[in-house]
Amino acid sequence: MHVSVSGVCHFFLRSGQTSVRSSAARFVSSFPVTKSPSRLTNPLPVPRSRAAMEAPAEAAEEATHPGKRRHDEPEEQETSGRGKRRRGAGGKKLPPGERYVPPPQKRNPGVSFSQEHFDETSYYFEGGLRKVHPYYFDFKTYCKGRWVGKSLLEVFESEFRAESIEYYRKAAGEGRIRLNEAPVEDLSVVLRNNDHLRNTVHRHEPPVVGRPLEVLVDDGEVLVVDKPASIPVHPCGRFRHNTVIFILGKERGISELHTVHRLDRLTSGVLLFARTLETSKKLDQMVRDRLLEKEYVCRVEGEFPEGELVCEEPILVVSFKIGLCRVDPKGKESRTVFQRLSFNGRTSVVRCLPLTGRTHQIRVHLQYLGFPILNDPIYGSSAWGPHRGKGGLVGKTDEELLQALVEENRSQENPLLLDVDDCVRVSQEAELNRRADTSGGGSDNCERLQKAEDGDRVSPSRDGVDPPSAASNGGPAQDAAASRRDHLCSECKLVRADPTERELVMFLHALRYKGPDFEYSTRLPDWAKEDWVEADWS
């Protein structure tokens, strides 16, 4: 292992935002790197990044945990007299039969995950996989603008069809659905602006590879890990505990990390976190000045041309929610330098330098060139048509393409193959949001509140439910309780085959991350070695 230290990190920078200044011919002849101990100075200000809005309940869930509310206790209701009076409601009486909705309450931003969140459940290892015991969890959201005036029943029927209406009725009967912290007894209740919905579910997370996270550098300023494929960086979709952030917190007691860049779930390699906000600001300025360089290595289908090849096709985002992209003249300027390292008769190992930082840039450019990354479940998919997107030939609208990817994913025996699967309902919800916005549905205030709440971090609540008792992380009491079945949970009734390593690994690896006076790298993956053949990989 060759690691060079002295790096710094940037706060909540997405993978598609990193830029690089490098000459096209600047390729190192060997992978070991040298050590640069110098530190960065003169921290510069950086604007705070904006939390992305995610859908509630069955839709994808952003990284979640609690901040303190301005008012922690529910409003106290007075029922005497014809009208209803609420403490904190300005002394106003409500007409008979009208439901009071408390005002929205802000949360403190930037609070890190704590031991309370890590103790929600525990890991166990089986068949080379890291697994999570099922656990109870709350999804929270404020009423969306398009929901105003609709009953809870209508919302569940139209937008949360992962479960049947009978399930939601039973869940409400057991106190698992709460409106403004009060158990919902009747799903016919009509939603109003600022209503706060809480849905308690029995949560199952997909397994990931069981290889430990290897910490390459931890010097108080920066934390660098070698991320295995299949593990998301932060909570998203169906993943929470099986993420890099939670594994570091649960197994190493490391928290309050600032993300430098995000690697795709199926991508492996160098992953950086800042230990301090000051460090993250320094790196952000480097990104603005295009002083950072990333180097990847991948294995692609076919015989990649020898020599240096530069792709400068513009990249357009098809879906912001799931990050799906394609080459399009209306897209943003993009530039990637490729160089073939080896060819084994069927596949080629290629070194990649993304000189711009577009989402999925390497994957999209290689697809365009006709050499998709081996095992890429999205850009190597037949859903792109007979040419699989080569030369930008798709022959489908963006909506048709997304639907084709969804249908192909559903036809697979193992639904873990596509990141799209985690975000299908999010994409559908984004389209509903777009239509609601263009038709004027809902109030602007409600939509703003929704965005703020969805970016907040929430914690599990056990009100009205009989979930597993809390125990220390990994303790036998919790293991036994958390693994029990829930009588309402549809996932508990399914028997899923474990994914194979082949299904959890895409042949793309972040090999090196370099700045003016620091450099971090990992060793070359086995699949990137010249003598590797696919038949040898189980």
Side-chain angles (χ1 to χ4, degrees), residues 51-292:
M53 180 176 71
E54 297 288 359
E58 292 81 356
E61 178 252 353
E62 193 65 36
T64 54
H65 79 297
K68 293 183 179 178
R69 285 183 176 273
R70 189 169 296 174
H71 304 289
D72 291 329
E73 297 299 327
E75 300 289 352
E76 189 175 307
Q77 181 177 352
E78 297 178 8
T79 57
S80 60
R82 290 176 53 87
K84 295 182 179 179
R85 185 187 299 271
R86 287 274 191 164
R87 181 182 301 169
K92 296 181 180 179
K93 288 186 177 181
L94 299 176
E98 185 171 343
R99 184 169 53 82
Y100 172 73
V101 179
Q105 299 163 349
K106 294 182 179 180
R107 297 178 184 272
N108 295 331
V111 182
S112 177
F113 293 105
S114 67
Q115 193 62 43
E116 175 189 0
H117 308 108
F118 302 147
D119 286 345
E120 292 165 354
T121 186
S122 59
Y123 301 119
Y124 66 102
F125 295 85
E126 184 177 69
L129 299 174
R130 178 190 294 270
K131 298 184 178 182
V132 175
H133 288 288
Y135 57 101
Y136 288 91
F137 183 80
D138 276 355
F139 287 101
K140 297 180 181 180
T141 181
Y142 275 106
C143 173
K144 294 181 181 296
R146 63 179 180 275
W147 298 352
V148 174
K150 293 184 178 181
S151 69
L152 264 179
L153 183 64
E154 291 176 301
V155 171
F156 285 138
E157 283 181 329
S158 62
E159 303 199 28
F160 302 114
R161 293 174 288 181
E163 298 288 355
S164 66
I165 291 300
E166 183 61 26
Y167 165 84
Y168 291 116
R169 286 196 176 101
K170 291 180 179 179
E174 297 194 9
R176 301 192 187 193
I177 300 175
R178 301 173 71 86
L179 192 63
N180 304 321
E181 301 307 322
V184 173
E185 298 178 357
D186 187 353
L187 295 182
S188 64
V189 60
V190 175
L191 294 174
R192 299 179 57 189
N193 190 22
N194 294 341
D195 270 335
H196 185 263
L197 181 66
R198 179 200 300 260
N199 181 25
T200 303
V201 301
H202 194 234
R203 189 165 180 175
H204 294 246
E205 295 193 26
V208 298
V209 297
R211 182 164 69 86
L213 281 178
E214 183 180 0
V215 175
L216 305 178
V217 176
D218 187 5
D219 59 7
E221 292 184 11
V222 64
L223 176 75
V224 186
V225 301
D226 184 2
K227 184 186 94 66
S230 81
I231 305 179
V233 175
H234 50 70
C236 59
R238 293 173 295 169
F239 297 88
R240 179 171 170 85
H241 289 263
N242 261 347
T243 60
V244 174
I245 292 289
F246 264 66
I247 293 172
L248 288 173
K250 290 163 72 75
E251 296 187 342
R252 294 177 177 267
I254 299 174
S255 60
E256 300 185 11
L257 297 173
H258 304 281
T259 306
V260 175
H261 63 113
R262 185 186 66 85
L263 295 178
D264 293 331
R265 177 169 62 90
L266 300 181
T267 302
S268 58
V270 175
L271 180 64
L272 283 75
F273 297 96
R275 281 291 208 164
T276 66
L277 183 58
E278 179 184 14
T279 302
S280 70
K281 290 179 179 179
K282 294 174 184 177
L283 185 64
D284 182 75
Q285 189 61 42
M286 287 187 180
V287 172
R288 292 165 180 252
D289 295 338
R290 296 195 172 189
L291 297 177
L292 300 182

Side-chain angles (χ1 to χ4, degrees), residues 447-483:
E447 291 298 338
R448 285 195 297 270
L449 291 170
Q450 175 60 44
K451 292 178 182 179
E453 171 67 7
D454 286 341
D456 285 339
R457 307 186 185 277
V458 298
S459 65
S461 169
R462 295 167 172 81
D463 296 335
V465 194
D466 182 24
S469 58
S472 60
N473 185 39
Q478 186 180 18
D479 290 350
S483 60

Side-chain angles (χ1 to χ4, degrees), residues 416-489:
L416 301 176
L417 299 182
L418 283 181
D419 292 318
V420 172
D421 179 70
D422 292 336
C423 306
V424 170
R425 288 182 294 273
V426 180
S427 178
Q428 294 170 342
E429 183 124 336
E431 174 60 19
L432 289 171
N433 266 321
R434 183 190 66 78
R435 285 184 288 179
D437 291 341
T438 56
S439 63
S443 71
D444 292 339
N445 183 49
C446 185
E447 291 298 338
R448 285 195 297 270
L449 291 170
Q450 175 60 44
K451 292 178 182 179
E453 171 67 7
D454 286 341
D456 285 339
R457 307 186 185 277
V458 298
S459 65
S461 169
R462 295 167 172 81
D463 296 335
V465 194
D466 182 24
S469 58
S472 60
N473 185 39
Q478 186 180 18
D479 290 350
S483 60
R484 73 182 183 186
R485 297 164 64 88
D486 179 87
H487 67 284
L488 290 186
C489 179

Side-chain angles (χ1 to χ4, degrees), residues 295-351:
E295 180 179 348
Y296 288 76
V297 63
C298 64
R299 183 174 286 274
V300 302
E301 300 179 19
E303 184 176 2
F304 198 84
E306 291 185 326
E308 183 181 285
L309 191 156
V310 180
C311 184
E312 297 181 306
E313 297 297 327
I315 293 178
L316 179 71
V317 178
V318 174
S319 170
F320 285 96
K321 280 291 182 181
I322 64 176
L324 184 66
C325 303
R326 61 177 170 82
V327 165
D328 189 280
K330 300 187 294 294
K332 292 185 178 181
E333 173 190 2
S334 307
R335 190 166 190 259
T336 313
V337 180
F338 299 103
Q339 183 183 49
R340 192 179 91 182
L341 299 179
S342 65
F343 175 60
N344 67 2
R346 294 183 58 188
T347 59
S348 305
V349 175
V350 179
R351 180 181 283 144

